[in-house]
Amino acid sequence: MRQLIAGNWKMNGRLADGAALVGKLQQAVSGLECDVLICPPATLLHTLAAQLAGSAVQVGGQDCHTKVSGAHTGDISAAMLRDAGAAWVILGHSERRTDHGESDAMVQAKTRAAVAAGLSPIVCVGETEAERVAGAQDAVVGGQLIGSLPQDFAQGYAGVVAYEPVWAIGTGRTPSEADVAQMHAHIRKTLVSHLGEAGRGVRILYGGSVKPSNAAALLALPDVGGALVGGAALVADDFAAIAHASHAVAAAARAG
Ligand code: PEP
């Protein structure tokens, strides 16, 4: 399965530095055997989508509202993201769940809205450190998945899932390779029981302190379908190095 390397810029980037980063990236990832995506702040979406038109780098948003339009000051709908040039949207990121109190039901409604607007969602799930210490990670992540993904997507789900342990985001810490492999297998099993056959084809990204030095090992693990990258996505050389690691994993798999 072709991997997806997605960059979440969060609340970082202005026109000049965003355009410069994308300019470097465009050349550095051309021709790679993986999908590459950047999710800049909404203020840069249209400009960067225009700059990247015809390149291998796709563009996505970081959140969307559940409704198409209306009296929701400060919010942005999935249709508006699409109109600005986005093809993807990150939903249910732990920072949205924490900062804005987003529940699984809300993430599910946003996922529906995104798909209806023609966007591919990246639905994020992941346990806190306390939940892992308590041994509750499988139950927490399984519950988030079932709550966040509409079951009628059994007919087909165009998006991906990102496993992002909350305690690994922006901390420089990652789970062991065995723990990542175990959780991705658990997510696959949950996707298949929730969505049937459609659950087999959904890419499962790993996210949380992915950087050039650990990308090759993480991306080579079974059922890791790519990476969701925060901090390292703001440095063109680092993000490109992660995409190159994915390309090398694909080449090694092809060679058998
Ligand atoms: C993220 O916020 O989605 C993320 C994975 O961040 P970082 O790579 O900085 O840990």
Side-chain angles (χ1 to χ4, degrees), residues 51-253:
Q51 187 179 339
L52 288 166
S55 87
V57 182
Q58 303 178 72
V59 175
Q62 298 177 11
D63 175 52
C64 71
H65 197 270
T66 57
K67 300 270 173 24
V68 175
S69 61
H72 301 287
T73 303
D75 281 316
I76 298 173
S77 74
M80 292 159 91
L81 292 176
R82 186 98 180 100
D83 188 47
W88 293 82
V89 62
I90 299 170
L91 295 174
H93 190 280
S94 72
E95 287 152 16
R96 298 286 316 172
R97 291 178 186 264
T98 303
D99 295 355
H100 300 272
E102 292 194 4
S103 63
D104 291 337
M106 203 179 290
V107 176
Q108 179 171 147
K110 290 181 176 203
T111 305
R112 263 186 210 290
V115 168
L119 295 176
S120 299
I122 299 174
V123 172
C124 302
V125 293
E127 81 284 358
T128 63
E129 185 152 34
E131 288 162 342
R132 180 161 279 271
V133 168
Q137 65 273 14
D138 285 5
V140 168
V141 169
Q144 287 175 333
L145 270 178
I146 289 167
S148 304
L149 284 178
Q151 195 161 24
D152 53 335
F153 284 3
Q155 277 84 13
Y157 170 55
V160 305
V161 165
Y163 168 54
E164 298 207 304
V166 178
W167 52 273
I169 295 178
T171 60
R173 297 162 59 206
T174 57
S176 68
E177 290 169 20
D179 284 346
V180 173
Q182 179 278 329
M183 182 56 83
H184 280 236
H186 171 64
I187 291 174
R188 176 67 65 210
K189 209 168 137 212
T190 308
L191 285 172
V192 172
S193 75
H194 187 55
L195 301 179
E197 281 307 300
R200 290 194 199 285
V202 176
R203 287 181 286 189
I204 307 166
L205 314 188
Y206 168 76
S209 296
V210 177
K211 42 193 182 230
S213 58
N214 61 18
L218 288 165
L219 290 167
L221 293 171
D223 243 335
V224 171
L228 180 54
V229 184
L234 296 171
V235 180
D237 288 345
D238 287 356
F239 192 57
I242 294 167
H244 279 263
S246 172
H247 177 83
V249 166

